[in-house]
Amino acid sequence: MVKLVAIYRKPEDIDAFDKHYFEVHGPLAEKMPGLIKMEVSKIYGTPMGESDLHLMAEMYFESKEALTEALSSPEGRAAGKDLRGFAGPIVSMHFAEVV
């Protein structure tokens, strides 16, 4: 199993970001074919105190091929376009194997 991990730094307007993420972007991402599970976590701190991170989304897929197909699907492209529009400068994306 693999996952696509999106890590978001704190946006300037947290309320506007959250509204868009949970009402628009999340539902777009959930439509990607082959998505087994999507888990979203709000970052509230670190062992050392405050964090500059806001949100982490983990999207699970059966295989690297399934993830690649999902990203290149119309649904994946729509989610990617939306992501660049509202969170491009504050998001980093990572591929990970679940061990």
Side-chain angles (χ1 to χ4, degrees), residues 6-63:
I7 301 172
Y8 300 86
R9 289 187 308 281
K10 283 187 181 170
E12 286 185 31
D13 186 339
I14 290 174
D15 291 335
F17 176 92
D18 284 354
K19 181 174 177 51
H20 185 89
Y21 187 89
F22 290 105
E23 293 180 11
V24 178
H25 186 70
L28 279 174
E30 288 175 335
K31 292 179 182 175
M32 287 193 293
L35 178 66
I36 295 170
K37 173 176 129 176
M38 182 168 161
E39 186 173 76
V40 179
S41 304
K42 281 197 172 184
I43 309 295
Y44 66 88
T46 74
M48 304 302 274
E50 198 167 324
S51 175
D52 67 338
L53 301 179
H54 176 59
L55 203 73
M56 178 175 63
E58 298 172 281
M59 293 152 277
Y60 293 80
F61 295 86
E62 189 61 40
S63 64

Side-chain angles (χ1 to χ4, degrees), residues 60-85:
Y60 293 80
F61 295 86
E62 189 61 40
S63 64
K64 292 176 184 178
E65 295 77 19
L67 172 53
T68 300
E69 289 175 18
L71 292 174
S72 62
S73 71
E75 297 87 352
R77 288 193 307 273
K81 182 178 179 181
D82 180 67
L83 180 70
R84 289 186 300 277

